Amino acid sequence: MTDNHVITFYSIEQIEDHKKLGRVVERFCVKNKIVGTFFSTPQGVNTTLSGPKQSLIDLVFLLESKSRLKLKDQTWSISSSVPFKRLKIKCRDKLLPLKGNFDPVLLRGTHLEPSEWNKLILDPETVVLDVRNDYETKIGSFKNSTIPNMKNFTDFPSFVDSNLSNLKEKKIAMFCTGGIRCEIASSFMMEEGFGQVYQLDGGVLGYLKEVEQEENLWEGECFVFDERVTVNENLERGEYFQCFGCRRPLSKIDLQSKHYIKGVSCHLCYLSSSNEDKERFAQRQKQIDLAEERGHEHMGMNAKQNKQ
C-alpha cells in the first residue's frame, strides 16, 4: 500500500490578488496529482493537501519563492489511504467568517512554542481556551481547558461576551487544530480589549509533532478535516470513524447505536435528518456497496467509513 503524504499550513499576510493565486495553485495541483483543500483570501492562505511528497515540497517552494508567502508551521504526516478524493480551491474574502472590526494581518496574539506553551497552561492563573467546535473538543483537549461548546466558530464572539468579558486582565492561552483559527480568534479578542493573548504556534498538530512524549500534555485524539477523521499523539490515523450523514466523528461504541446506519445516520443526526435525506444517503450507500463488489472505489466516500 502506497503512503500518502499530507501537509497542513497557513499564512496570515496581505495578498494582492488572491484569485490569481488560487488559479496558480489549482494548475500546479492538477498537474502534479495533489488533492485536498486550498483557501485563498486577501488575508492569507490556509490548506491541507495530499499527494507525492516531492510535489508537495515543490508547491511550497513555488508559494514561497514566486508568491513570496511565508509558510511557517508546516505540519507533515502520512496516511495509508488517500485522505481526500478531490481538489478544492476556494477563493474567499476572509479566512474564517467571523464578524467584527479586526484585522489579523495587523493584530493577533503572541505565538508560543510547545515548551513555552506547557509552562503557561500549567499556571493556574491562565485561562486555557479551546476555540474549536464542540464535536472536536469531545475527542481530545488540554486538561482544564475552557470549552465554549460552539456549534460553529461564528458563535465565538457571543461566547467571549457572555463568559470572558470580565477576564480581560487575565492571560489567555488559546489553541486550535493547526493554528489558523487562533489567528482569527486572538485578533478578535485583542480588538475587544484583551491585553495578554497567547496562541499555540502550529496548533495541536504542531504541538504533537514537536513535543517529547514525556512532556506531552494533550489528552485524547485530535480531529482533522480529512478522511483520517482523527490522529493520535504520533500523528497517525486515530480510532474514530465518520458519519456520512452529519460528518461527525464516531467511536466504536457509537457504531453500536440503534440509530447508526452505515452511510446514512448516527445517534447525533438520526432525529434531525429528514426522511428524504436518509433515503438519499441510503441510495448513495447502495451505489458505494455495488462499486465495492465490482472492485471499484467510490470517489465520494470516506475509505475508513467503507470498512465499518
Side-chain angles (χ1 to χ4, degrees):
M1 182 178 293
T2 302
D3 287 331
N4 298 274
H5 292 269
V6 182
I7 185 172
T8 299
F9 62 80
Y10 70 87
S11 176
I12 303 291
E13 55 188 294
Q14 184 176 355
I15 296 179
E16 295 296 335
D17 192 341
H18 68 288
K19 293 182 179 180
K20 179 180 178 181
L21 177 63
R23 293 193 295 270
V24 169
V25 171
E26 183 173 27
R27 287 196 295 268
F28 184 92
C29 289
V30 170
K31 181 179 179 181
N32 292 277
K33 299 180 179 180
I34 296 174
V35 293
T37 304
F38 185 90
F39 291 91
S40 182
T41 79
Q43 299 173 330
V45 302
N46 182 31
T47 184
T48 300
L49 297 169
S50 177
K53 185 172 184 180
Q54 189 57 53
S55 296
L56 295 171
I57 292 173
D58 291 343
L59 175 61
V60 170
F61 178 78
L62 172 68
L63 292 172
E64 291 184 327
S65 62
K66 298 295 180 63
S67 301
R68 307 298 182 187
L69 297 183
K70 303 177 181 63
L71 306 180
K72 61 190 297 294
D73 300 327
Q74 299 167 31
T75 300
W76 289 84
S77 58
I78 293 177
S79 175
S80 58
S81 60
V82 181
F84 296 98
K85 298 304 184 188
R86 58 182 64 84
L87 175 68
K88 296 180 182 179
I89 305 296
K90 299 185 178 183
C91 297
R92 296 180 174 175
D93 294 332
K94 289 184 176 182
L95 280 168
L96 291 170
L98 196 65
K99 294 181 179 180
N101 185 28
F102 64 94
D103 187 346
V105 176
L106 302 177
L107 179 69
R108 55 189 187 273
T110 301
H111 291 70
L112 294 182
E113 297 295 329
S115 59
E116 301 172 298
W117 174 261
N118 280 357
K119 181 179 179 181
L120 180 61
I121 67 172
L122 288 173
D123 181 350
E125 294 300 312
T126 299
V127 177
V128 184
L129 182 59
D130 190 332
V131 298
R132 300 171 304 150
N133 291 341
D134 55 2
Y135 59 90
E136 301 170 75
T137 60
K138 291 176 181 177
I139 290 173
S141 192
F142 287 103
K143 187 177 181 179
N144 297 325
S145 295
T146 297
I147 307 294
N149 288 317
M150 299 181 293
K151 296 297 182 185
N152 297 289
F153 187 46
T154 50
D155 298 333
F156 185 68
S158 60
F159 170 80
V160 171
D161 182 60
S162 300
N163 299 274
L164 303 178
S165 58
N166 61 335
L167 302 177
K168 292 185 177 181
E169 302 305 317
K170 289 276 191 178
K171 293 180 180 178
I172 307 294
M174 64 170 60
F175 64 93
C176 57
T177 306
I180 183 67
R181 184 172 291 201
C182 287
E183 302 283 18
I184 308 303
S186 68
S187 182
F188 169 82
M189 292 188 73
M190 294 186 75
E191 186 66 30
E192 292 295 307
F194 290 83
Q196 302 181 79
V197 181
Y198 302 88
Q199 57 195 83
L200 177 57
D201 198 24
V204 178
L205 296 180
Y207 181 88
L208 296 178
K209 174 186 175 184
E210 299 294 336
V211 74
E212 297 293 337
Q213 186 68 36
E214 60 273 13
E215 298 176 356
N216 190 339
L217 301 179
W218 180 259
E219 299 180 340
E221 296 187 359
C222 181
F223 182 85
V224 289
F225 296 89
D226 60 55
E227 294 193 4
R228 293 172 296 174
V229 187
T230 63
V231 294
N232 61 24
E233 58 188 12
N234 298 314
L235 293 179
E236 299 168 340
R237 190 170 194 160
E239 296 297 321
Y240 284 79
F241 302 85
Q242 193 170 45
C243 171
F244 176 74
C246 63
R247 298 296 187 183
R248 299 300 173 93
L250 303 175
S251 68
K252 291 180 180 179
I253 294 178
D254 293 332
L255 301 185
Q256 306 306 313
S257 168
K258 65 180 181 179
H259 294 310
Y260 175 72
I261 304 173
K262 181 182 176 182
V264 178
S265 65
C266 68
H267 68 289
L268 297 170
C269 66
Y270 183 83
L271 296 178
S272 59
S273 62
S274 67
N275 290 333
E276 290 78 9
D277 286 336
K278 291 184 179 68
E279 177 62 26
R280 178 161 52 88
F281 296 156
Q283 289 300 319
R284 188 176 190 278
Q285 185 61 43
K286 182 178 180 180
Q287 294 301 315
I288 293 169
D289 293 340
L290 289 173
E292 285 187 337
E293 290 178 7
R294 301 187 187 106
H296 301 294
E297 181 180 2
H298 192 281
M299 292 302 290
M301 177 55 71
N302 181 318
K304 191 170 185 178
Q305 194 261 3
N306 286 341
K307 297 184 177 73
Q308 296 171 28

